[in-house]
Amino acid sequence: MLTLNWSGKMKFTAHTESNHEVVMDAYTDVGGEDSAARPMEVLLAALAGCTAMDVISILEKMKTTPRDFKIEISYTKAKEHPKVYTDIHLKYIFYGNVPKENAEKAVNLSQTKYCSVSAMLRKAANITYELVFES
């Protein structure tokens, strides 16, 4: 179970089932103190974390762990409330000697089979991705 506690103004702390905390706040112009990420930002962070864990796990099983790895996410939101994400684009950036076919397989498996956050968001948004290889 997840519980959410109000910390005053527009600040909230979620206490997760795994006994960790996620703090969220709002911009000052809507009553927050701008002290933490917004809930929609946390949602994108969850997407990035979910697919990144899949990709690294799969690549490690292939014995092709990258030297470094990151994901950049760009997005478009609806103009009217609720301002949901309508388009989400993930840029997977691999550093080091990662064979292209291994990276493509890992990302594809994450996006089509394993990442539950992607699966949920795909019901509301168009999710696209690209792979970039850096030395």
Side-chain angles (χ1 to χ4, degrees), residues 3-96:
T3 58
L4 183 81
N5 293 346
W6 182 36
S7 303
K9 294 197 176 190
M10 295 299 287
K11 188 173 183 180
F12 296 86
T13 303
H15 301 272
T16 68
E17 187 174 332
S18 60
N19 202 30
H20 296 282
E21 294 183 344
V22 177
V23 181
M24 295 168 278
D25 199 357
Y27 292 107
T28 56
D29 63 345
V30 292
E33 295 179 323
D34 194 22
S35 66
R38 312 302 171 254
M40 291 294 280
E41 292 172 333
V42 174
L43 184 62
L44 288 179
L47 170 60
C50 180
T51 188
M53 288 178 191
D54 291 341
V55 169
I56 292 299
S57 175
I58 293 165
L59 287 175
E60 285 179 343
K61 289 175 182 154
M62 295 177 175
K63 308 270 191 259
T64 56
T65 305
R67 177 176 43 80
D68 201 0
F69 173 71
K70 71 179 178 180
I71 296 174
E72 295 175 354
I73 297 181
S74 55
Y75 57 86
T76 305
K77 281 181 160 183
K79 296 187 187 323
E80 302 296 324
H81 289 285
K83 294 183 179 180
V84 299
Y85 295 118
T86 57
D87 295 282
I88 300 170
H89 183 75
L90 297 100
K91 183 187 288 188
Y92 294 84
I93 305 171
F94 298 88
Y95 296 86

Side-chain angles (χ1 to χ4, degrees), residues 43-44 46-48 50-51 54-55 84-90 92 106-130:
L43 184 62
L44 288 179
L47 170 60
C50 180
T51 188
D54 291 341
V55 169
V84 299
Y85 295 118
T86 57
D87 295 282
I88 300 170
H89 183 75
L90 297 100
Y92 294 84
V107 169
N108 186 51
L109 282 169
S110 175
Q111 286 298 313
T112 61
K113 184 174 182 178
Y114 295 116
C115 182
S116 54
V117 180
S118 288
M120 288 186 69
L121 287 175
R122 193 171 287 108
K123 294 179 185 290
N126 178 43
I127 299 178
T128 57
Y129 61 87
E130 66 181 295

